[in-house]
Amino acid sequence: MPGTLVDTFKWWAVERADQAAIVEGDDRLTYRELNDWAECVADSLLADGLQAGDRVTIIATNSMKWVIAAQGVMLAGGIVAPVNPRFTVSEASFIVADRYQSAVIFHDDERQPLAAAVAGKIPGCRLRSLEEVTELRHQTPRMEQPRPKITRRSDAVIIPTSGSTGRPKGVVYTHGGLVDYAADTAIARPGAIHNAKVFLFGPLCTSAGYVVMTQYLNYGGTVYIEGIFDAQVALDKIQREKISVMMGAPIFFERIMDLPDFADADLSSLGYCLVGGAQVSRKLLDSWLNKGVILRQLYGQTEAGGQATINTDDGAINSPEKCGRGAPFTKLAVIGPDGDFLPANTPGEIVIKSAGMMDRYWQDEEATAKTLVDGWLRTGDLGEIDEQGLLTFIDRLKDIIISGGLNISAAEVERVVAEVPGVIEVAVIAAADAKFGETPMAIVYSAEGVTPEAIVAHCNAELSGFKVPRYIVVENQPLPRLATGKIAKMQLRETYRDADKTLPKVR
């Protein structure tokens, strides 16, 4: 398949010129308008000196302007390199300044101070408001600057991981990889792409946002962009706009299910719903099934394109603990500690070989070599595969906490907590949370009387709010350890499994 993302979007700009491509609130943007507006942004970037391969960071919440800025960067030959708009200066600087050395940073009004602080650490970095993108909306593309050659091997976007080793890494997707990923998924789920209307609230700085958005624009569908998730807004929009595709963590479907209007809602348009990041309860599955909607479990991670497997209709209903199988060109296996492939129904590390795999980590050859081995992506997650090829996810070996659909690295939070004077040992695990599904909990060993308040104060200064532990236990003895010397987190999870019911929140 020789095409690039640019080829696809250009094709739809003619084929479905007057169909809505992006919808935000009452604002609708057609495929022709999307192309023309993005070309104007590309004109502006090239006139401002952007070079092919330059990284362009976007620090902003989801919006139509975000999408257009990203499309303009792509047309100009740049690499989209977004970060979470909830990052602190320290978090954003590590990625954008230390790793990406971005040439341009786009920001919304609220993130202007953050963007300015980060840009100040990069020589020659240019700061641009997304309001400049708005001003270009109704202009005519000049195309005075020659467009750089873009191939399938050209880098399209760098998505930061949640930092399972304590610091985020940049996952690089190429044009060819994103096109192939969309094509592979289309073969596996043809009913999901026909005139698709996608309700998208996953942050565009993540694979759950950007890759999904790109995937459905590849299909010529309509993407409904949401800045924040509101259950009532979601339920109303599903019915009014006849939304056909929605995906997210179970907590979002639970919030909709709990609405008084859910019982009488018409959800007949929803033909393709995916849930991931946590187990789907039988109550949740049955509640949506009674409305005629099958919630299909998935397994994925940023390095695998976000979605590596999707459960079958029968599996979603009868085996909700399974995550399904991959698309036709996706291979799944499980390996042991020695790297040998394991037989069916044997737990081991999940490995993947697929079109949606990352190309590499940005400027991190060592980490890339450890993750991509003989063409296989080593996920670091524990699972098993049955005789039918259906995957069961067992545990997150990389200790990712998923809070409100956002990934939080336990290692990153541990690194920050360990900086507090008097902390000797720390383990961060997931605690149940009624609102967000999971939230960080820190168990600390200190012989010097460290207080939870001191830990929270330090975390507030160094971490985004959603990463700060809501539960903190300070022990006066060492934390339990395995024979290998590692902290026994499974034991801690069992000890504190009812933390949300027995412990007070610290903030």
Side-chain angles (χ1 to χ4, degrees):
M1 187 178 295
T4 68
L5 292 175
V6 173
D7 296 326
T8 307
F9 300 145
K10 292 287 186 183
W11 193 81
W12 286 121
V14 176
E15 184 71 13
R16 293 186 175 174
D18 298 321
Q19 176 183 305
I22 304 291
V23 177
E24 181 184 11
D26 296 327
D27 193 2
R28 294 172 181 264
L29 189 73
T30 68
Y31 271 93
R32 180 193 293 117
E33 291 168 337
L34 184 153
N35 179 73
D36 289 349
W37 191 0
E39 287 286 11
C40 288
V41 174
D43 280 335
S44 176
L45 288 167
L46 290 168
D48 198 32
L50 189 75
Q51 301 295 310
D54 279 352
R55 278 72 63 205
V56 178
T57 289
I58 304 175
I59 307 179
T61 54
N62 288 8
S63 68
M64 187 181 290
K65 294 176 291 188
W66 199 113
V67 176
I68 297 302
Q71 295 291 96
V73 171
M74 183 184 301
L75 291 171
I79 304 172
V80 183
V83 295
N84 194 318
R86 299 172 68 178
F87 273 179
T88 63
V89 172
S90 174
E91 292 168 316
S93 295
F94 173 77
I95 300 173
V96 180
D98 296 352
R99 293 294 178 90
Y100 298 165
Q101 283 288 295
S102 296
V104 178
I105 298 178
F106 279 106
H107 62 85
D108 55 20
D109 290 343
E110 185 176 346
R111 257 58 59 167
Q112 193 279 335
L114 170 61
V118 175
K121 301 176 183 290
I122 309 171
C125 180
R126 302 180 292 283
L127 206 59
R128 301 190 64 166
S129 169
L130 282 179
E131 289 308 310
E132 297 178 43
V133 173
T134 301
E135 295 168 2
L136 297 170
R137 178 167 185 172
H138 300 295
Q139 294 188 18
T140 301
R142 300 187 306 273
M143 307 292 286
E144 294 174 351
Q145 301 286 338
R147 299 299 190 249
K149 181 180 180 181
I150 297 173
T151 70
R152 285 175 53 80
R153 290 294 307 152
S154 298
D155 296 333
V157 64
I158 311 173
I159 300 290
T161 68
S162 52
S164 61
T165 58
R167 287 289 194 181
K169 295 184 285 291
V171 171
V172 180
Y173 297 118
T174 64
H175 279 258
L178 289 171
V179 169
D180 290 351
Y181 171 71
D184 195 21
T185 306
I187 295 172
R189 305 288 175 180
I193 69 173
H194 180 65
N195 293 324
K197 293 183 176 181
V198 187
F199 188 74
L200 182 66
F201 51 88
L204 287 167
C205 59
T206 68
S207 59
Y210 183 88
V211 175
V212 172
M213 179 268 293
T214 301
Q215 176 186 0
Y216 281 90
L217 289 181
N218 262 288
Y219 300 152
T222 301
V223 180
Y224 292 76
I225 297 288
E226 293 294 316
I228 58 173
F229 178 82
D230 182 286
Q232 189 65 58
V233 169
L235 185 61
D236 293 344
K237 189 161 291 187
I238 289 168
Q239 298 176 87
R240 184 177 65 253
E241 299 289 346
K242 304 300 180 185
I243 298 295
S244 62
V245 178
M246 178 174 160
M247 56 193 73
I251 186 71
F252 297 113
F253 291 90
E254 290 170 357
R255 291 182 191 174
I256 296 176
M257 176 188 70
D258 290 338
L259 292 172
D261 297 343
F262 181 75
D264 297 323
D266 178 7
L267 305 180
S268 58
S269 63
L270 274 176
Y272 194 58
C273 287
L274 305 180
V275 291
Q279 289 287 340
V280 180
S281 69
R282 176 56 64 176
K283 177 185 176 182
L284 178 64
L285 182 66
D286 289 344
S287 294
W288 282 82
L289 195 58
N290 288 337
K291 302 295 295 181
V293 179
I294 297 175
L295 301 184
R296 297 172 175 86
Q297 300 86 334
L298 66 84
Y299 166 75
Q301 59 178 210
T302 303
E303 288 89 338
Q307 302 167 26
T309 71
I310 299 169
N311 212 350
T312 61
D313 291 359
D314 180 72
I317 297 171
N318 297 311
S319 303
E321 75 282 358
K322 296 184 184 294
C323 306
R325 58 192 302 203
F329 306 133
T330 297
K331 298 183 183 300
L332 294 172
V334 170
I335 62 173
D338 56 4
D340 289 342
F341 292 100
L342 300 176
N345 302 309
T346 305
E349 182 179 2
I350 303 166
V351 293
I352 301 168
K353 185 181 291 187
S354 73
M357 281 168 42
M358 70 172 187
D359 182 76
R360 65 193 186 282
Y361 289 120
W362 180 259
Q363 293 187 348
D364 196 334
E365 294 182 3
E366 181 179 354
T368 299
K370 291 180 179 179
T371 303
L372 299 179
V373 181
D374 296 328
W376 290 89
L377 171 68
R378 296 196 172 187
T379 66
D381 288 335
L382 186 68
E384 62 183 39
I385 300 173
D386 66 16
E387 294 86 351
Q388 285 74 45
L390 299 179
L391 173 70
T392 298
F393 170 79
I394 297 175
D395 198 6
R396 294 189 291 265
L397 297 182
K398 293 184 178 180
D399 278 333
I400 297 299
I401 299 165
I402 302 177
S403 182
L406 295 174
N407 288 350
I408 302 170
S409 164
E412 181 185 21
V413 181
E414 288 166 352
R415 176 179 57 80
V416 172
V417 173
E419 295 171 350
V420 177
V423 170
I424 301 173
E425 294 178 349
V426 57
V428 172
I429 61 175
D433 186 270
K435 184 176 182 180
F436 299 110
E438 292 180 346
T439 194
M441 173 182 181
I443 302 101
V444 170
Y445 164 46
S446 171
E448 300 181 20
V450 173
T451 65
E453 291 75 15
I455 293 171
V456 169
H458 182 70
C459 289
N460 280 333
E462 296 296 325
L463 295 170
S464 303
F466 68 95
K467 298 179 182 178
V468 178
R470 289 173 179 259
Y471 298 97
I472 297 177
V473 174
V474 179
E475 301 277 12
N476 60 2
Q477 58 186 358
L479 302 185
R481 292 183 178 271
L482 302 171
T484 60
K486 294 182 179 179
I487 292 176
K489 284 197 172 182
M490 291 291 286
Q491 180 179 334
L492 291 174
R493 292 188 185 106
E494 178 62 24
T495 301
Y496 296 104
R497 63 180 177 178
D498 295 322
D500 61 316
K501 301 181 182 69
T502 60
L503 297 176
K505 289 186 176 180
V506 294
R507 63 184 182 91

